[in-house]
Amino acid sequence: METEHRPINPDVPFLGPTRSPAPNLRGASSELEEILANADLPRLRCIHLATWTELRTLFKLAGPAIAVYLLNNAVSISTLILCGHLGNLQLAAVSLGYMGIQFFAYGLMLGMGSAVETLCRQAYGENEYEMLGIYLQRSMILLMVTGIPLAVIYIFSKRILEALWEPTDISSQAALFLYGLIPQIFAYATNFPIQKFLQAQSIVSPSAYIAAGVLTVHLLLSWLAIYQWGWGLLGATLVLSFSWWLIAIAQVVYIVTSPRFKYTWKGFSLQVFSGLWSFLNLSTSSAVMLCLETWYFQILVLIAGLLKNAELSLDSFSICMMILGWIYVIATGFNEAASIRVSNEIVAGHPRSAAYSVIVITITSFLVALFLAAICLALRNYISYIFTSGSTVAKTVADLSPFLAVTLVLNGIQSVLSGVAVGCGRQALVAYVNVGCYYLVSIPLGCLLVLKCDFGTRGILTGMLGGTTLQSLILIFIAARIDWDKEVENARTRLELDTPEDNEQPNLA
């Protein structure tokens, strides 16, 4: 049985677990509760056993999610790395194109696709299995249509970037990079709904195997296109689009041919078109908060492109962002694990276990983030050479590394605490905290330090650090004030309201 993964999107409502949680999670939950409730155990022995039990469960949950995210991320990041070694101008161009424009499409498509997970989880919990396939098809149709205006934005990306006062030479190369990503938009429209469809059924491993296989093919084709055939940026992104389509097609084939989907995928149906408008409304609202978070990073990159030495600023800042992105993937796995563990324990009526899980996961994530931050500091003079061979860029990245390291450590804390709040059904609160800290603290502070104090890229990272610090303090305050006994009662009430009468549908959990 695959482990269940909770959504990390701030607007996804708490639905409780599926009607039959995965056996390994139930066993871990009851085992942890028995250990904590055993008054005969010496205190140190109790802490040792409880911590070990929780760590085993944590890595069973976080491990598959981290693997899938890292592999999917590696497909795109490897293209940026290979393009970066063509020269500093090319690295600046792909950074501006990827983070300045492509993030817009990514955030919008992923946010709209998140509506599938909300509806599929509820349908799965209510044993309405055939509706999962209907929701999947509705989402794919809507995202394909949404991809058309996004493709127009890519076509006119050069004019858009120049209108935002970005340098002409960098904008021209960035536009060339984006032309090859137009097919990727429609691969997103297929891939994101499928991922949510699979996650709603707690199916994770196949996506990891597919991504690993495609990554191998992608690296070979990218090396040939860029360095052997001389196709440049356009060729690199065409290969990237091809690789994302390979992932999408492989997952479609898996769903259509695998017997485990015989209840949740019944083939194409005209019923798909009957609820498109209401589905569009849900998808749009689902995308708003996630778009606000992804646009935050876009704004920071665009600000970097306006600095005096735009090429150097974009190169150094984008390298820091890509490193942060890699490690954020790991934090996201702990975020989902925290959300699952908290929601499972409070629904099971174990407030003591829920509180203990939060402590163990938070400390573990903090230590992992601290270890990775230490590696970044130790390799600060060399880490940029992964992305480019420029020595000036390497020196600038080394100067920015202390700011980056502190941000990494804070992200290790706030990601877990965000997951804790989501597990308690407080998605809206987390969303307001995140967006408020981004747009009311990070961006204004960064702009002030850049424009008034001439801090350059250090000013942007300092603004990020200020927002992340406030974000972490607020989430620590929220977590410290949680009444776990009350959360158990609230979860029971929600579960009673959401649990339908038993029917004759087969139980797939």
Side-chain angles (χ1 to χ4, degrees):
M1 178 72 69
E2 299 283 347
T3 53
E4 179 187 1
H5 285 269
R6 293 274 306 146
I8 61 172
N9 299 319
D11 52 320
V12 179
F14 175 87
L15 300 175
T18 56
R19 308 227 16 219
S20 299
N24 64 323
L25 298 185
R26 287 187 298 181
S29 176
S30 59
E31 184 180 357
L32 178 61
E33 184 66 17
E34 288 173 6
I35 293 171
L36 295 174
N38 191 342
D40 296 330
L41 278 177
R43 184 172 180 80
L44 290 178
R45 177 65 174 168
C46 177
I47 292 174
H48 175 265
L49 289 176
T51 302
W52 177 243
T53 299
E54 182 59 31
L55 285 174
R56 281 185 300 165
T57 307
L58 168 62
F59 285 103
K60 284 180 183 178
L61 288 170
I66 291 172
V68 172
Y69 294 147
L70 281 174
L71 288 167
N72 281 330
N73 193 44
V75 172
S76 297
I77 294 298
S78 61
T79 297
L80 304 185
I81 292 173
L82 291 171
C83 289
H85 283 281
L86 292 174
N88 289 343
L89 174 61
Q90 286 79 4
L91 177 59
V94 299
S95 301
L96 184 61
Y98 186 78
M99 298 183 185
I101 296 291
Q102 200 262 356
F103 257 32
F104 175 83
Y106 181 88
L108 181 61
M109 301 293 263
L110 181 60
M112 292 186 69
S114 297
V116 179
E117 189 169 23
T118 303
L119 295 173
C120 284
R121 280 182 177 275
Q122 190 160 12
Y124 194 76
E126 294 176 354
N127 296 338
E128 297 288 343
Y129 300 122
E130 188 172 347
M131 288 306 299
L132 274 74
I134 301 298
Y135 293 143
L136 171 61
Q137 294 173 59
R138 284 177 184 168
S139 182
M140 289 173 66
I141 291 172
L142 287 176
L143 264 64
M144 284 289 183
V145 174
T146 303
I148 296 173
L150 290 175
V152 174
I153 293 175
Y154 278 39
I155 292 171
F156 293 98
S157 56
K158 181 177 184 294
R159 296 182 182 179
I160 293 172
L161 291 171
E162 288 178 344
L164 294 171
W165 304 290
E166 300 295 336
T168 301
D169 56 342
I170 299 177
S171 297
S172 298
Q173 291 293 309
L176 187 65
F177 176 82
L178 288 167
Y179 295 155
L181 292 181
I182 292 175
Q184 186 190 44
I185 299 173
F186 301 96
Y188 283 164
T190 304
N191 190 49
F192 289 159
I194 289 175
Q195 284 187 341
K196 301 304 180 183
F197 171 82
L198 295 174
Q199 288 175 3
Q201 300 171 73
S202 305
I203 298 173
V204 179
S205 298
S207 295
Y209 299 145
I210 290 171
V214 170
L215 176 61
T216 304
V217 175
H218 174 74
L219 290 173
L220 175 61
L221 290 178
S222 295
W223 179 77
L224 290 172
I226 297 171
Y227 297 111
Q228 298 300 309
W229 301 334
W231 290 0
L233 296 184
L234 181 60
T237 51
L238 286 173
V239 170
L240 179 57
S241 293
F242 173 75
S243 298
W244 271 92
W245 268 109
L246 278 183
I247 293 174
I249 292 171
Q251 293 190 119
V252 168
V253 172
Y254 172 63
I255 291 172
V256 172
T257 59
S258 175
R260 70 192 307 177
F261 301 106
K262 64 180 179 180
Y263 296 113
T264 56
W265 174 258
K266 297 288 187 179
F268 295 101
S269 170
L270 293 177
Q271 187 181 351
V272 170
F273 299 98
S274 64
L276 278 177
W277 182 252
S278 60
F279 196 91
L280 174 61
N281 291 334
L282 178 60
S283 296
T284 302
S285 60
S286 177
V288 170
M289 296 307 297
L290 185 59
C291 283
L292 287 173
E293 293 194 25
T294 55
W295 293 344
Y296 160 70
F297 293 101
Q298 283 184 278
I299 292 171
L300 296 180
V301 171
L302 292 173
I303 292 173
L306 299 176
L307 298 179
K308 293 178 181 178
N309 190 339
E311 185 177 306
L312 177 60
S313 298
L314 280 169
D315 286 347
S316 56
F317 184 73
S318 63
I319 287 173
C320 290
M321 289 299 96
M322 283 187 272
I323 295 170
L324 181 62
W326 278 349
I327 298 176
Y328 184 75
V329 166
I330 299 173
T332 298
F334 285 115
N335 172 288
E336 292 199 2
S339 177
I340 295 168
R341 290 296 294 130
V342 167
S343 61
N344 283 349
E345 294 295 350
I346 62 177
V347 169
H350 300 154
R352 182 165 39 192
S353 295
Y356 197 83
S357 295
V358 170
I359 294 172
V360 172
I361 297 174
T362 303
I363 293 175
T364 302
S365 180
F366 170 75
L367 292 176
V368 170
L370 190 64
F371 173 72
L372 294 173
I375 291 178
C376 286
L377 284 176
L379 300 177
R380 63 186 180 275
N381 292 316
Y382 312 101
I383 201 165
S384 71
Y385 290 111
I386 297 174
F387 304 90
T388 182
S389 56
S391 58
T392 306
V393 176
K395 183 179 183 303
T396 306
V397 171
D399 292 338
L400 297 175
S401 293
F403 299 91
L404 178 62
V406 178
T407 303
L408 293 177
V409 173
L410 290 175
N411 272 332
I413 298 173
Q414 68 90 6
S415 293
V416 168
L417 296 181
S418 294
V420 170
V422 169
C424 293
R426 302 181 183 182
Q427 290 88 344
L429 178 59
V430 172
Y432 294 140
V433 170
N434 290 348
V435 173
C437 290
Y438 291 155
Y439 288 92
L440 299 180
V441 179
S442 291
I443 293 177
L445 179 59
C447 289
L448 177 65
L449 294 173
V450 167
L451 299 176
K452 297 296 183 181
C453 303
D454 198 24
F455 274 26
T457 48
R458 287 183 300 168
I460 302 175
L461 280 175
T462 303
M464 282 187 63
L465 184 56
T468 305
T469 300
L470 180 60
Q471 189 181 19
S472 301
L473 292 174
I474 293 173
L475 291 172
I476 289 172
F477 177 76
I478 292 172
R481 289 178 59 86
I482 293 176
D483 184 335
W484 293 106
D485 292 311
K486 186 176 180 181
E487 291 299 328
V488 166
E489 293 301 319
N490 291 340
R492 285 175 178 168
T493 301
R494 284 193 294 263
L495 193 59
E496 288 172 2
L497 292 174
D498 289 339
T499 302
E501 296 293 329
D502 289 337
N503 54 43
E504 299 301 319
Q505 296 276 6
N507 192 340
L508 305 183

